Amino acid sequence: AQADPGHPLLVWVHLFEPHEPYEPAPGYRRGNEPEQRYDGEVAAADDAAGQLIELFRSKRPGGTVIVTADHGEEFGDHGGHHHGTTLFDEQVRVPLLWSSPGQVASRRIASPAQLVDIAPTLLSALGIPRDPRMRGSDLSALLRGAPENPRLRAFASIEELRMLSDGQHKLVCETAEGLCRLYDLRAD
């Protein structure tokens, strides 16, 4: 509210919930099981994010809004619990929503993206050269409506596990044992 309408502005908001211990506010309770309590915290965060975005849009109707998360949660789906324990989609696949009214048409993009892609994409949108050592891909062409990029990959790692995905296939390797598993994400 204090920034002049034409003044450049960056607003960073980090909602810590949902995180364990899952203790949603009474109006968001979904039950007593861990996954139900987590769902309640997700609902509360979704409501808070919606209110913040509505307020931001009232002040900056054309401003870019990016919504994402650092990880998902697993509730025994593949033998893991919480986060940081496996590289299955429950833990590593997160939302990435990019809204730039009048500049980016609404659509769903299937190409994999990573959180490290956000900074180079923002720099490109602002016309700021990126440092050549910066990791991540510039997703500007995709946001402008270019065809999906079959060369985009997503990488993740925890402890001795490494993952590489092209959006259709996922390779998960255990470096200590030299074992890899390849998943067809559409079939598996």
Side-chain angles (χ1 to χ4, degrees):
Q2 297 172 355
D4 293 332
H7 187 72
L9 178 67
L10 172 71
V11 178
W12 167 271
V13 178
H14 179 191
L15 301 177
F16 188 74
E17 302 304 339
H19 265 96
E20 58 182 310
Y22 311 119
E23 298 173 359
Y28 295 98
R29 293 189 190 276
R30 303 287 190 263
N32 291 319
E33 296 300 316
E35 193 166 359
Q36 293 171 322
R37 294 194 323 262
Y38 171 76
D39 288 346
E41 286 195 351
V42 168
D46 181 60
D47 188 42
Q51 291 177 44
L52 287 167
I53 292 168
E54 186 176 332
L55 176 62
F56 180 77
R57 285 276 186 240
S58 74
K59 305 291 183 189
R60 301 284 175 129
T64 293
V65 172
I66 301 167
V67 178
T68 192
D70 56 346
H71 58 76
E73 294 286 289
E74 187 175 346
F75 294 93
D77 305 66
H78 290 97
H81 292 279
H82 309 296
H83 59 273
T85 58
T86 74
L87 294 174
F88 288 106
D89 278 5
E90 293 84 6
Q91 293 189 36
V92 299
R93 188 173 182 197
V94 297
L96 175 56
L97 291 84
W98 188 295
S99 172
S100 297
Q103 307 218 359
V104 174
S106 179
R107 70 181 184 132
R108 173 173 276 202
I109 298 173
S111 294
Q114 305 179 95
L115 298 181
V116 296
D117 298 336
I118 295 172
T121 306
L122 277 171
L123 290 173
S124 175
L126 295 169
I128 300 171
R130 71 187 263 180
D131 186 299
R133 296 169 293 181
M134 182 179 245
R135 291 180 36 215
S137 298
D138 177 1
L139 304 175
S140 297
L142 276 175
L143 292 173
R144 287 191 305 268
E148 300 273 336
N149 184 345
R151 296 184 325 194
L152 285 175
R153 302 289 185 264
F155 174 81
S157 67
I158 54 165
E159 297 176 5
E160 298 297 320
L161 296 174
R162 306 292 180 266
M163 179 210 86
L164 181 69
S165 178
D166 65 1
Q168 180 179 349
H169 298 96
K170 180 190 283 193
L171 181 67
V172 177
C173 295
E174 299 176 27
T175 58
E177 298 167 17
L179 300 174
C180 294
R181 293 169 289 186
L182 180 64
Y183 297 93
D184 179 339
L185 298 175
R186 295 180 185 156
D188 295 340

